[in-house]
Amino acid sequence: MKISQLFHWLRKLYDSNVVLAIATIFSATAVLAYAYPRWLHISDFDGIANLNVARFLTHSFTPGFSQIGVWNLLNHMLLAPAVAVDFWYTTGVAGFIVHVPSLFLTAYCINRLCMEVTDDVYASLVAALIFVFNPYVLIFTVSPMSEPVFFLLLAASAMYFAQWVRRDSMEKLLLSAACIALSSVARFEAFALVPMGVFAVILTGLHRKYSWSRLSSEVLLFGLIACLGSVFVVFYSWFYTGNPLYFISYSAVRDTADVTVHTMQMISDGWWNAERVHSFLPTLYEALRLQFSLLILVVAATGMTWLAVRRQRWTFLMTIIVLLAPTLFVAASYVTGKRYIGVPPFYPQYVNIRYVLHVGVALSLFCSCSIAALRSSGYHFVRRAGFGLGIVSLVASIFFSAHEFYLGSFQALRNNVAYAGNLSGATSLSEVYDFGNVLISHGDNETFIFESHIPLERIVYESNYLYYMQTIREPWLFVRWVVLNMNDGIARDQISRVFFYHVNKDIFSQYYELVLEDGGRKIYRVRESVVRDVAKKLGYDPKLIPTLNTDAKWDPAKFYEQLKASKR
Amino acid sequence: MSTGEFIGDDELRDGSLPRGSDAISDELTISQYAEAVTRAGEKLVSVVVPTNNDRSLVKKCFQCVDDAFRDTEYRYELIVVDDHSIDGTPEYVRSVQGELPVRLVEKKGKKGRSISIKEGVDVALGNAIVILDPDVRFTKEALVSMVSKLEDSYIVVASRSTYPSFVYGIFSRMYGWIIGRVLLSVNANVRSGIKVFRRSLLDSLRFDPEFDPRLGFDAVLLYHARRVGWPISSVLVQYTRVLFHHGYSGEVLSRFSFAYGIVLIKVVHILRATFPFLFPPPPIEYFSAGFTNVNDYLFLSPAQSAKGHITRETVSLFVIVVGLSLVSMFGVSRAFGIPLLMGIAFGISAMYLLLVAFKLVIMFRSLPAERDVLTAEDLATVTNEELPIVSVLIPLYKEQEIIPQIFRYLSDFDYPREKLDIIFILESTDTETAEAFLAMNPPSHFKALLSPDVQPKTKPKAMNVAFGAAKGEILVIFDAEVLPERDQLKKAYLTFKRHPEAKYLHSRMDVYNADYNWITRLYAGEFCYFYHFFLPGLVSSNYPIPISGHSTYFRREVIEKVGAWDAYNVAEDCDIGIRIYRKGFGSGRMLDTHTWEQSTTTVATWVRQRTRWIQGFIQTSIVQLRYPLLLKRELKTWRNFLIFLVLVPGNVVLNILNIVQWGMFVLWNVTHAPFLQVAYSGVTLYLATICFFFGNFFFTFYSMYSLYVRKHYRIVPWGLLMFAYWIMLGIATIRATIHLFLHPHKWDKTSHPAIHVSKPS
């Protein structure tokens, strides 16, 4: 076969979607192959929490939607079918299974979005590939984190928005709104999309000289759909916890006392922090440079400048308002010091740079504009330069950021203190655990639960609300094991009640013996003979006591009644 | 000589006819024979003999019959219905045809004595019909005495005086008593081998919905006679049977199958009495008789009309459905250990959710719905010569103010005048409208037709009156207050031409006084949603649908075949849509045109209008569900049947459920009543919550979006108040239910003041 024939054949086969699909599968698989032996794909605490919560939907003491608690539900629901498979759950590969299609669709949306703005097939494809080959994006793609789903919905909402701006098709605007609504139940950053989207709709309406009635009706229809997600979150929090803003507090415990404590803390931080305001842009720059390389940032900045003179600049500007809305949310969160999403300093704690990773969608669009600008030049040389810039940007995005990524501190995550402690304690528990229910609190016990390999159906947890509340009062009747996290941090709040009730009291020591103290955790096992003796003394049927009969299912509302009825 | 119904003229006019055993010659066919007998006033008796491998019996049987009528005033014909004999019975019958007046009927139906008798009776010519088993032997006087008895009776049964043995006699009497007296309550020997009855009874039998010859013709005949009060006589005659000529097993089988038939009759009777809705009447199409009923202009059978209102079928069905629902809910609650209240709440919420889901699916289906866009270029290709005559029916009542507007739009139609057949239907008592009509100096193609002053005084009756006078190939109805697009008729013709399979076309509706006040705004939201999202979705799915009362274009044949409109139904459009679908004409096609309609402008008129519409929906539900299995059969599939349930009765139920659910929600918020905590807990709470939030949201949103699509931008925000509109719908539904009992056929005319007639907004 001649080379020209081969090119001809490839040209016939060429389709940007096929290229993106191959690129997605190839890159994601390569990163998984790298990350899996090093356990990097589940190196993040939140990722493991996502795996657990998703699996609790089907494997729990009380399976069902209530297991999601106040967490954003979309990612958990998407993960649920995958984590129901033991192998995918225990290895953490469930994230890869679910998120690779998300990455492909994100790339597809970026490609179409760039096409709307630049009308350049090549530049659009390169922009999508820049996103697909970004190692930071990829590491989240192979993980169970919620970011890939958010990237997809962000890109999709921007794509539909651009289509609306360009074609004035109301269906596209409503689709964009629907994506915004969905993204709001994927991540809280998406809340900012609603006002910013409305703002862009108003600007576009004014630009088109719509009548006031038409403009208001479009804003109303768009807003009604777009805010569905955030309204749902508020109502859901209200319904689930009694506090509509509970989702802000980062606690899954249905206890208003805890919420009050968190809210008080947040308010005491004040409305803004001057130091953070000054440090935000340098911090953002550092994070973006780290993720996308300096070259990409330069190319993107060029693209933004070029757009000022382009014909589709209105489409571009309005789309950018949508795309950068989550960044505004992050910025507000950062400078005020509030824990809307719990934003910590970005750099050099690489694990948290994900909060601005969504900027990658906008950067890809900017790069596409730069490349398209050069390619549309009338000069042959400049067109070639545009081609070259595309290639260079792509390669740079892969190698420069990969260099930082792989040699950076990401590798150290696995070995950080908290994680090592989790692993050590979990390993110890898995060695001594025989059978029976385990009382454990939420907080940073997620990794511990995941690593200890205890069946989730055996764990009594905050999300098993009635059972949990009953168990922490008299654990010796219900659980053979009690795990207490003694580390400082968020978890203290979660376990304080167990402390409060029992740990320093004689009765707890009477029923439980300390088996292990490892990784900042204390693991207690019930003294079965004591429970049995007490039950015998009081005349209770031991078959009804879950500590003694691990197959016993109890009804919190009737347990004591049944126990008394069994008295001989 | 006294004459019975079956006996013709006494006088013998032609002495040349054969008598007694005179044979029917080849030249004289049986019908000629019968004709001659009738002409001569002879008394012709048809003797039906069912045979099945009875070669050895029939010869003697024929001889007995011939002897019986020899030298009497009666003539007879023997009708042998052979049930696939293989012993040469048919051959024997043919061989004696030259000697006796005997006919051999080749059986067409299934095997069995009853079917044989039925087929024989169907071809019998005599006024008296004898059913005679071939194994019966009787004395010479027996038959004549029985036939003579018909003069003062309808059915005569031979009662035996002797039995071949004492044991056989005991057994036979016991059998006859159980079958006759106990099961059928007939004081006669139902198992008798000789029965005589008047032929005129057959007409009555044919109209008896319970008559089924497969259950035993003679037994059914006796049973029917007892029910309708025909006198049955027993005549004691000496006759005997040739016993066990088909063997013992044959005898047992024969008696068993006879008893089985009787039991079946009884069971069917009980079933009919308990579940009358399972047994539809035979399809009698009164309207096929030329649409000539001038008493009330109803061209449908009573079973197809709301005239009969609530029949025992409806009551029975209602009681059984409600009973079964309650029992099943109670059973489920006991089986799963959940409170009954929760079971009921779950049932309601689940049904509500299904209805909401269905409507959403239909709306999404409407998005890609095929729409025939007809451009001005398309219309320019149509020549005046090819256009058919279109009949435009315009029923008017007390609408003199709006007549100028009607004249304006009708005169403005882009359609040749000579092809327009415009008929104004005026009530004969409405002189104001008639005067206003005449004052406008109507052109020659505007005709006015006075609707007779007979009940019911409804719009469908007026249209039925006009239907006879309409001569167009295409029919359309316009209400007085509507404004169709001027090229609508041409578009209808072109769409019919392009789609010959389409039997009727739906126009899209909009509201021209949409921005008048809050009620017209919400009305517009509802209409735009229905005609731009819901109806196209239904049509594209080819579901049975309630159609619009005006601006729907019909091919004439459709109206003819469905028997026009139900004059007694106050939502005749809903009813005819379902009947059209039952006749196999499908759900029509969307027409690329709009008709602008006037919304009611006050709460009072709105409630009155909705009351009538919903009352019509209830009437349609009642009429169509009189025989649910027949409805299912005609709708072809269970899917269509369910769709009907959802669209017609479901629509009414949904309005009520709205009120119930909203009421529960308010009650819970106000009182936190414990019984509501029980009823709405667990899965029920999820279902009800989904219905409440998502159901209300999506329908509100779609109403707003459809207003946007129709460019009613100013009204879009008003769509947020749609929930108030649904509450009003619930109230109208309750009112409609009350009206159904108080004024079932009253046409509560919606007033359309001319003050709001203006250009479309």
Side-chain angles (χ1 to χ4, degrees), chain B residues 627-688:
Chain B
Y627 304 103
L629 294 183
L630 179 67
L631 174 66
K632 185 262 151 189
R633 199 158 61 235
E634 292 183 352
L635 292 177
K636 302 285 190 295
T637 60
W638 282 111
R639 184 203 69 169
N640 285 342
F641 183 74
L642 283 174
I643 299 293
F644 163 78
L645 290 182
V646 169
L647 288 181
V648 185
N651 215 355
V652 180
V653 172
L654 193 64
N655 291 340
I656 300 275
L657 286 185
N658 269 333
I659 292 277
V660 172
Q661 299 285 67
W662 279 87
M664 294 293 167
F665 182 70
V666 172
L667 198 64
W668 184 81
N669 275 294
V670 173
T671 66
H672 281 75
F675 82 92
L676 285 174
Q677 303 272 15
V678 173
Y680 290 89
S681 57
V683 181
T684 310
L685 182 64
Y686 284 111
L687 289 181

Side-chain angles (χ1 to χ4, degrees), chain B residues 99-252:
Chain B
E99 304 161 18
L100 296 168
V102 59
R103 277 194 282 164
L104 179 67
V105 175
E106 288 184 13
K107 195 169 179 192
K108 298 184 184 71
K110 289 180 181 174
K111 290 191 77 169
R113 176 177 177 274
S114 297
I115 303 293
S116 298
I117 296 172
K118 172 73 170 52
E119 292 189 9
V121 163
D122 282 345
V123 298
L125 299 166
N127 289 325
I129 297 175
V130 179
I131 299 171
L132 183 65
D133 289 343
D135 58 345
V136 174
R137 305 288 175 261
F138 46 87
T139 57
K140 189 173 185 303
E141 303 76 26
L143 275 187
V144 172
S145 63
M146 288 177 73
V147 172
S148 307
K149 187 77 176 169
L150 274 189
E151 288 171 11
D152 53 3
S153 189
Y154 281 54
I155 300 172
V156 182
V157 181
S159 182
R160 297 177 73 164
S161 59
T162 57
Y163 289 90
S165 72
F166 177 74
V167 176
Y168 183 85
I170 293 291
F171 171 75
S172 191
R173 282 171 199 272
M174 278 181 62
Y175 177 83
W177 182 80
I178 291 169
I179 296 296
R181 297 300 298 275
V182 176
L183 291 179
L184 287 184
S185 309
V186 172
N187 189 16
N189 180 10
V190 294
R191 180 79 174 119
S192 168
I194 315 172
K195 298 182 191 79
V196 186
F197 63 96
R198 299 184 185 192
R199 203 178 99 146
S200 56
L201 303 188
L202 291 177
D203 293 333
S204 173
L205 271 182
R206 206 171 293 132
F207 289 105
D208 182 357
E210 299 185 15
F211 176 71
D212 185 351
R214 289 169 301 180
L215 302 179
F217 183 89
D218 39 1
V220 173
L221 181 69
L222 290 168
Y223 183 63
H224 180 77
R226 188 191 64 79
R227 280 182 54 231
V228 300
W230 293 338
I232 303 169
S233 302
S234 279
V235 175
L236 194 67
V237 296
Q238 279 201 331
Y239 80 89
T240 186
R241 283 180 180 272
V242 179
L243 293 178
F244 312 124
H245 60 282
H246 284 157
Y248 293 107
S249 60
E251 182 72 16
V252 171

Side-chain angles (χ1 to χ4, degrees), chain A residues 4 36 91 117 193 202 247 268 298 335 415 436 450 471 507 559:
Chain A
S4 60
Y36 184 73
T91 57
V117 177
L193 283 166
I202 292 172
F247 61 95
S268 66
V298 170
V335 299
N415 304 320
F450 180 74
T471 301
I507 190 166
F559 176 74

Side-chain angles (χ1 to χ4, degrees), chain A residues 53-82:
Chain A
V53 172
R55 190 165 163 96
F56 271 129
L57 282 169
T58 51
H59 294 67
S60 164
F61 216 77
T62 51
F65 286 108
S66 60
Q67 295 304 310
I68 294 179
V70 294
W71 301 110
N72 266 327
L73 57 84
L74 189 60
N75 189 47
H76 295 109
M77 288 180 68
L78 290 172
L79 282 172

Side-chain angles (χ1 to χ4, degrees), chain A residues 170-171 214 218 220-221 225, chain B residues 697 701 704-705 708 716-717:
Chain A
M170 190 62 185
E171 284 86 359
R214 179 170 183 182
E218 287 196 4
L220 184 61
L221 291 172
I225 296 285
Chain B
F697 174 80
F701 180 80
M704 295 167 73
Y705 182 52
Y708 175 87
V716 169

Side-chain angles (χ1 to χ4, degrees), chain B residues 495-515:
Chain B
T495 308
F496 272 134
K497 185 183 170 187
R498 287 182 177 179
H499 301 283
E501 79 289 350
K503 299 297 181 189
Y504 62 108
L505 307 172
H506 309 270
S507 305
R508 290 166 202 264
M509 304 289 163
D510 207 327
V511 179
Y512 59 68
N513 60 340
D515 204 11

